[in-house]
Amino acid sequence: MAKIFQVSARAGMTRVVEPIARALLRAGVTPNAVTVAGTVGVLVGALGFGARGHLLAGALIVTVFALTDLLDGTMARMSGGSTRFGAFLDSSMDRVADSAVFGAVAYWLATEGDHSGVAAALVCLAAGSLVSYVKARAEGLGMTCNVGIAERTERLLIVGVGGILTGVGVKPALEIALWLLAAVSIFTVGQRMAHVYRQAQQLQPDGQA
């Protein structure tokens, strides 16, 4: 299934990230430490800047630290693969960071009296959590769910671009980005549920409905 980030773009990012990952590993930095540091950075950008209306600074900080998702994963692969706790920590910190980002955006839009934007931010928060939950639940049942047009990094980049454009004076950009993100997130939920349904149908014993 096609994704917003094409394979070639991800491969290009990996070539940039790998030297950094090697350097951090040589310095004794663990993937888990990078995961936590990335989350702290997102919290600073979202709550310290975005929620106070400093959208350009907040969006840039969040976007940069959101890319640590690629860095900690690369480090884990280079060091022999992610541990169970590492995978658990990464997923948990992702939910913390996502909640901070969309909570901060909703708060700022509420202070601006933009009720439509608040609604879009809340839909993004709920749909984004559901995207992640559907995948986690499917994998917990022994199935795969690596499909969808917008995964976490893409979702944060969409809202980040909207925040940056709004921060430089393109006022409708953030709300447009939020509604676009809401739509692709809901669509991704549908994609994943359909994918899991097809697997479940193939796995169930003959004769069962």
Side-chain angles (χ1 to χ4, degrees):
M1 185 65 66
K3 292 181 172 63
I4 293 176
F5 263 172
Q6 298 297 323
V7 173
S8 58
R10 287 188 178 273
M13 285 298 298
T14 298
R15 285 193 292 271
V16 173
V17 166
E18 283 184 348
I20 301 173
R22 290 193 189 93
L24 289 173
L25 288 171
R26 283 196 298 269
V29 179
T30 66
N32 289 349
V34 172
T35 297
V36 173
T39 302
V40 171
V42 170
L43 292 176
V44 170
L47 303 179
F49 291 87
R52 298 166 59 195
H54 304 301
L55 297 185
L56 180 58
L60 288 172
I61 293 169
V62 167
T63 300
V64 168
F65 279 97
L67 293 175
T68 58
D69 251 7
L70 299 175
L71 182 59
D72 59 10
T74 301
M75 291 173 66
R77 176 174 54 80
M78 289 180 171
S79 59
S82 176
T83 64
R84 290 187 178 183
F85 177 74
F88 168 80
L89 179 67
D90 185 60
S91 180
S92 299
M93 291 298 99
D94 284 352
R95 304 290 78 72
V96 171
D98 290 356
S99 297
V101 168
F102 292 103
V105 169
Y107 174 82
W108 179 75
L109 289 170
T111 65
E112 296 290 303
D114 187 346
H115 302 299
S116 175
V118 171
L122 294 177
V123 171
C124 288
L125 178 57
S129 296
L130 189 54
V131 167
S132 300
Y133 173 79
V134 169
K135 180 177 180 178
R137 184 61 177 146
E139 291 176 345
L141 292 171
M143 294 178 279
T144 63
C145 198
N146 296 316
V147 298
I149 61 172
E151 296 185 350
R152 180 177 181 262
T153 301
E154 286 88 347
R155 296 197 304 271
L156 288 179
L157 288 176
I158 289 173
V159 73
V161 169
I164 290 171
L165 291 175
T166 297
V168 298
V170 186
K171 296 298 183 183
L174 180 57
E175 185 175 342
I176 292 171
L178 288 170
W179 282 116
L180 171 63
L181 180 55
V184 297
S185 296
I186 292 170
F187 185 75
T188 298
V189 171
Q191 282 184 298
R192 291 188 167 183
M193 293 186 73
H195 181 73
V196 173
Y197 174 77
R198 289 192 292 269
Q199 288 181 80
Q201 291 295 104
Q202 293 171 358
L203 293 171
Q204 70 181 17
D206 292 339
Q208 291 190 11

